[in-house]
């Protein structure tokens, strides 16, 4: 007989918080009838300055099945938090989750750029990606290298050897779910291997907090510049050198409004 859910949540605090955040965002999206084109990541929105979508696309899910699949896999991968004795643990999990969210999103955009500019495949210009799978596939890969004897549990009854799970899941989702983003999942695997092999290393609490601070700043300023959100207390003005913004903070007003820009709707990919 397994442990009560309450004790499992205490053993996986970071995973539980992320799952809670993703579920809350899904509920908000459903309640407000927000579409994937408003929160998803695409090549066209990126070149228009919507860099904030790297974050919103990762934590947003449109369909309940997509949410359940990703959160089920993430819950199983939360075992990383309990493996402090092999160099993993809660801090490692939080630090490299930040890395996976950002780098996998940037890598997806890089792949889109190469396919569009080098190979002239215009299909990828307006493909919109949403979902947490980039991070899920990254943790599958890291765990397969660090703890190859582990199992990946899906939906409470399907068990996969973690050593094969990244590529098994990559092929399985590509066949079963036609909208699944092969490039999005592959980017998570690539970043996962880079972390597991030590190509990306040296993260600690100082660098994690610094990185989080930069993420928040870029997120806020890109929201402002792309007119996706009107921050009345923040203004960006031109100075002598137009490439350098001058920032000043004004008294906050009460007229904050959320405005979603009208973007051309293309194809959606689930990540």
């Amino acid at each position: 007989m397994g442990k009560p859910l309450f004790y499992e949540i205490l053993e996986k605090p970071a995973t539980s918080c992320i799952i809670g955040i993703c579920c809350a965002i899904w509920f908000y999206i459903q309640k407000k009838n927000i579409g994937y084109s408003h929160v998803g990541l695409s090549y066209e929105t990126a070149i228009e300055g919507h860099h904030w979508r790297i974050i919103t696309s990762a934590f947003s899910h449109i369909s309940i099945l997509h949410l359940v699949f990703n959160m089920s896999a993430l819950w199983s991968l939360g075992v990383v938090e309990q493996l402090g004795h092999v160099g993993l643990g809660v801090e490692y999990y939080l630090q490299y989750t930040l890395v996976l969210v950002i780098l996998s999103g940037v890598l997806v955009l890089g792949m889109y750029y190469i396919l569009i500019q080098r190979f002239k495949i215009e299909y990828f210009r307006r493909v919109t990606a949403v979902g947490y799978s980039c991070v899920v596939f990254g943790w599958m890969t890291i765990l397969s290298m660090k703890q190859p004897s582990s199992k990946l549990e899906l939906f409470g009854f399907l068990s996969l050897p973690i050593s094969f799970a990244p590529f098994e899941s990559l092929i399985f989702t590509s066949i079963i779910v036609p909208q699944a983003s092969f490039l999005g999942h592959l980017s998570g695997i690539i970043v996962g291997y880079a972390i597991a092999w030590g190509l990306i290393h040296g993260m600690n609490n100082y660098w994690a907090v610094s990185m989080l601070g930069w993420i928040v700043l870029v997120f806020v300023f890109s929201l402002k510049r792309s007119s996706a959100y009107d921050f009345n207390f923040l203004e960006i003005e031109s100075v002598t050198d137009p490439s350098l913004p001058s920032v000043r903070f004004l008294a906050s007003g009460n007229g904050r409004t959320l405005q979603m820009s009208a973007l051309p709707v293309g194809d959606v990919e689930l990540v």
Side-chain angles (χ1 to χ4, degrees):
M1 186 174 179
K3 295 180 181 179
L5 179 61
F6 175 75
Y7 291 104
E8 291 199 41
I9 290 174
L10 291 180
E11 291 177 348
K12 304 175 182 179
T15 303
S16 301
C17 287
I18 292 172
I19 290 174
I21 291 170
C22 288
C23 290
I25 291 173
W26 176 84
F27 180 79
Y28 181 82
I29 285 173
Q30 300 304 310
K31 184 177 180 181
K32 297 295 184 179
N33 198 29
I34 297 173
Y36 66 84
S37 63
H38 295 134
V39 294
L41 180 66
S42 69
Y43 178 80
E44 284 195 341
T45 56
I47 61 177
E48 289 172 1
H50 294 218
H51 305 124
W52 51 270
R53 290 173 178 266
I54 290 177
I55 305 299
T56 60
S57 63
F59 292 92
S60 300
H61 298 80
I62 305 302
S63 74
I64 185 64
L65 182 61
H66 187 208
L67 176 71
V68 170
F69 180 85
N70 278 354
M71 296 304 101
S72 175
L74 185 63
W75 178 256
S76 179
L77 293 166
V79 69
V80 170
E81 297 186 63
Q82 304 168 343
L83 296 175
H85 60 283
V86 294
L88 302 179
V90 178
E91 289 185 1
Y92 183 95
Y93 182 83
L94 289 172
Q95 292 162 4
Y96 284 98
T97 289
L98 279 177
V99 174
L100 283 165
V101 168
I102 300 303
L103 290 191
S104 60
V106 171
L107 185 56
V108 167
L109 291 176
M111 290 179 178
Y112 286 166
Y113 176 83
I114 292 171
L115 290 169
I116 293 167
Q117 300 297 333
R118 176 75 175 177
F119 296 99
K120 309 301 180 184
I121 305 176
E122 291 298 312
Y123 164 78
F124 291 100
R125 184 174 293 276
R126 290 168 61 180
V127 168
T128 302
V130 290
Y132 201 71
S133 294
C134 286
V135 182
V136 169
F137 274 76
W139 280 119
M140 280 187 203
T141 305
I142 294 169
L143 197 58
S144 72
M145 299 292 292
K146 300 286 189 178
Q147 196 78 1
S149 60
S150 298
K151 298 279 188 181
L152 177 68
E153 306 289 341
L154 294 175
F155 308 112
F157 63 87
L158 181 61
S159 180
L160 299 174
I162 196 66
S163 55
F164 300 108
F167 292 102
E168 284 179 345
S169 300
L170 180 64
I171 296 170
F172 175 77
T173 53
S174 298
I175 294 173
I176 301 301
V177 185
Q179 286 183 303
S181 175
F182 181 86
L183 293 181
H185 297 167
L186 182 61
S187 70
I189 291 175
I190 292 172
V191 177
Y193 274 123
I195 293 171
W197 289 338
L199 301 178
I200 300 173
H201 61 92
M203 283 293 289
N204 54 37
N205 289 336
Y206 171 79
W207 288 114
V209 171
S210 300
M211 184 177 180
L212 182 60
W214 281 108
I215 290 171
V216 171
L217 282 175
V218 172
F219 185 85
V220 170
F221 281 113
S222 63
L223 275 173
K224 175 71 175 180
R225 293 177 68 89
S226 63
S227 300
Y229 196 95
D230 184 15
F231 293 97
N232 291 333
F233 63 93
L234 178 64
E235 285 190 3
I236 302 175
E237 297 181 345
S238 298
V239 290
T240 305
D241 184 351
S243 65
L244 297 175
S246 172
V247 181
R248 64 189 179 96
F249 292 87
L250 304 177
S252 176
N254 296 321
R256 300 184 188 182
T257 58
L258 178 62
Q259 298 176 332
M260 296 297 183
S261 56
L263 298 171
V265 178
D267 298 286
V268 63
E269 286 192 346
L270 306 180
V271 297

